Amino acid sequence: MGRDRRAPWAREDGAGPPWERRPGGRGPSRRLPWPSTLAVALVQQAGSHFAALNQPDRAPLDSFARVLLAVGPAFLLIRHRRPRVAVFGASAATMLYLGGGYPYGPVFLSVVVACFTAIVAGHRRAAWCAVALLWAGHLLLAHWLYRWLPPGGDGPAPWNEEWAPAAWAVAVVVVAELVHVRREQWARERAERAMAERRRADEERLRIARELHDVLAHSISVINVQAGVGLALLDEHPEQARAALVTIKAAGKEALGEVRQVLDTLRAPGEAPRAPAPGLDRLPELAEQAADAGLTVDISTEDVPAGLPPGTELAAFRIVQEALTNIVRHSGSRTARVRLSHRDGALELRVDDDGPAAPAAKEALPGGGRGLVGMRERAAALGGTVEAGPRPDGGFRVRARLPLTARHQEEP
């Protein structure tokens, strides 16, 4: 008969599809399908009554027949919660009706509805078994057991009349299977859309985390260095301490502005940013901030085209910013060299310092903090790479390669 594969929404307790569950996904709905069940019961009762008028050779509809015509639809009340019980119960009631020799009519309607629901819910084996048993029982009644069952004097049914009921049974099963397959496709599509939305949300969280890390790490490093300078010079050289405080104020103001821009993006997703994203044109400003922290930065470019994609410029700026921040925090060198070039359809940048590592940073260098991870994530998002590590002759080097192909020219 095939495997009893369940639909994606089917549960072990027989709970039905999503449209029969309570709001919020807290299990099956408490409401029973009364309207459809009553409709099936009325059709069976009324249809069998009129069918009996044209079949005087069959047994008349008595109270037992009326009960059986009501029992079959009654099982439909639980067809979403217990589809297997419903389909076998409706089939058993129909079999008893046929065994009583009562007129043929819409008595099979409850079996059709129960079978359709069971297959759509994923209980294929139960539905097929119920239909097969009902069909086998009908053949036994019509061709062998009719001698001992009412009505009296009944003869065997013609074999050529068996094709029509068989065709209807196959049609119902085929239609139910098609609906089942389509609902599985819808369920998979919904799951894929939900997964894509979660993936986009995760990527957005990572992007925001990188932005906040780069902005805060750089600005707080500058503030920390300048605060140390200010404290050291406060008593003996107050004017120089004042300059350090001015630098702290400027760095804090810039950090607040960039953090506010990131938060505005969170509050109103999809809106265009109020300020342009940082690009390579702000590298001199970055060098000035590093100079305020006591780091001299030499910037040189080679064949770098104008009008690079905004996403590439932002990634390059943040990588340089993070590299300079790491030098300020972790290196004893007071000079850094930034080189940008265009080779083989990619923007290559390199940031070098001559070291050595600061005493407080020696333990932190081997592990690589979140800054290096953020660099690699930014480059990977554009199809590029980042390499960072000690140089053979001493010092530290960060090298990045960012492709400039059309596939990677995306907005930040």
Side-chain angles (χ1 to χ4, degrees), residues 278-281 283 299-320 338-351 378-380 382-387 398-405 408-409:
L280 297 180
D281 57 334
L283 288 181
I299 300 176
S300 63
T301 59
E302 179 183 347
D303 299 330
V304 177
L308 294 177
T312 302
E313 289 212 18
L314 175 61
F317 177 86
R318 293 302 188 197
I319 291 173
V320 173
V338 178
R339 301 287 183 269
L340 294 95
S341 60
H342 178 246
R343 291 193 181 93
D344 301 327
L347 175 67
E348 295 186 355
L349 60 91
R350 190 179 70 191
V351 181
R378 285 185 181 278
L382 298 173
T385 57
V386 169
E387 298 176 358
V398 175
R399 176 180 293 173
R401 177 180 174 84
L402 306 176
L404 299 179
T405 57
H408 300 294
Q409 294 182 8

Side-chain angles (χ1 to χ4, degrees), residues 38-407:
L38 288 176
V40 172
L42 290 175
V43 169
Q44 289 198 173
Q45 294 283 354
S48 298
H49 172 76
F50 290 106
L53 300 178
N54 298 321
Q55 301 178 49
D57 55 330
R58 305 295 294 174
L61 293 176
D62 53 17
S63 57
F64 184 65
R66 293 294 182 182
V67 170
L68 291 176
L69 290 173
V71 169
F75 278 102
L76 299 182
L77 290 173
I78 61 172
R79 67 181 185 271
H80 294 303
R81 298 184 178 183
R82 298 289 186 270
R84 287 174 290 191
V85 175
V87 71
F88 279 110
S91 299
T94 303
M95 179 62 66
L96 290 176
Y97 179 89
L98 296 177
Y102 299 114
Y104 295 106
V107 65
F108 297 98
L109 183 58
S110 58
V111 179
V112 170
V113 175
C115 177
F116 186 89
T117 304
I119 292 179
V120 171
H123 299 277
R124 292 168 167 170
R125 183 178 300 173
W128 295 345
C129 288
V131 172
L133 292 175
L134 180 59
W135 177 248
H138 165 70
L139 293 179
L140 287 174
L141 293 173
H143 297 281
W144 287 283
L145 302 180
Y146 65 90
R147 301 180 182 88
W148 302 281
L149 296 174
D154 192 17
W159 282 99
N160 57 357
E161 294 181 1
E162 302 297 342
W163 294 107
W168 276 104
V170 171
V172 170
V173 171
V174 170
V175 172
E177 288 287 352
L178 292 176
V179 174
H180 171 74
V181 170
R182 185 54 183 159
R183 297 220 182 262
E184 281 188 333
Q185 293 176 349
W186 288 341
R188 283 194 296 270
E189 291 171 0
R190 286 195 297 268
E192 290 172 358
R193 286 195 298 268
M195 186 178 298
E197 291 175 0
R198 288 196 297 270
R199 185 168 57 250
R200 285 194 294 268
D202 292 341
E203 292 173 353
E204 183 66 11
R205 283 195 296 269
L206 285 176
R207 185 190 70 81
I208 293 170
R210 286 196 299 266
E211 287 292 317
L212 290 175
H213 174 275
D214 293 346
V215 171
L216 296 177
H218 174 73
S219 300
I220 291 176
S221 295
V222 172
I223 291 172
N224 183 56
V225 171
Q226 292 298 320
V229 172
L231 288 174
L233 300 176
L234 183 61
D235 296 331
E236 299 180 1
H237 303 281
E239 291 301 323
Q240 296 181 17
R242 181 185 297 273
L245 292 176
V246 171
T247 302
I248 290 174
K249 180 180 179 181
K253 181 179 179 180
E254 181 181 2
L256 287 175
E258 296 202 30
V259 170
R260 187 178 295 113
Q261 182 177 344
V262 174
L263 296 179
D264 288 342
T265 304
L266 282 176
R267 294 191 183 99
E271 293 187 4
R274 299 180 182 179
L280 297 180
D281 57 334
R282 290 186 56 184
L283 288 181
E285 179 183 340
L286 198 60
E288 292 180 5
Q289 294 175 358
D292 293 335
L295 179 66
T296 301
V297 180
D298 176 34
I299 300 176
S300 63
T301 59
E302 179 183 347
D303 299 330
V304 177
L308 294 177
T312 302
E313 289 212 18
L314 175 61
F317 177 86
R318 293 302 188 197
I319 291 173
V320 173
Q321 183 184 52
E322 180 62 27
L324 296 180
T325 300
N326 287 340
I327 294 173
V328 171
R329 295 174 59 188
H330 303 304
S331 175
S333 175
R334 295 297 87 194
T335 60
R337 295 178 298 279
V338 178
R339 301 287 183 269
L340 294 95
S341 60
H342 178 246
R343 291 193 181 93
D344 301 327
L347 175 67
E348 295 186 355
L349 60 91
R350 190 179 70 191
V351 181
D352 291 284
D353 74 276
D354 297 328
K362 288 182 179 180
E363 297 297 327
L365 278 174
R370 295 301 307 173
L372 295 180
V373 174
M375 290 184 194
R376 295 189 179 97
E377 289 176 348
R378 285 185 181 278
L382 298 173
T385 57
V386 169
E387 298 176 358
R391 298 186 312 181
D393 57 346
F396 201 80
R397 171 173 292 171
V398 175
R399 176 180 293 173
R401 177 180 174 84
L402 306 176
L404 299 179
T405 57
R407 183 168 63 92

Side-chain angles (χ1 to χ4, degrees), residues 15-30:
W19 56 86
E20 289 293 333
R21 296 185 187 173
R22 287 183 288 175
R26 298 188 300 273
S29 173
R30 294 184 180 275

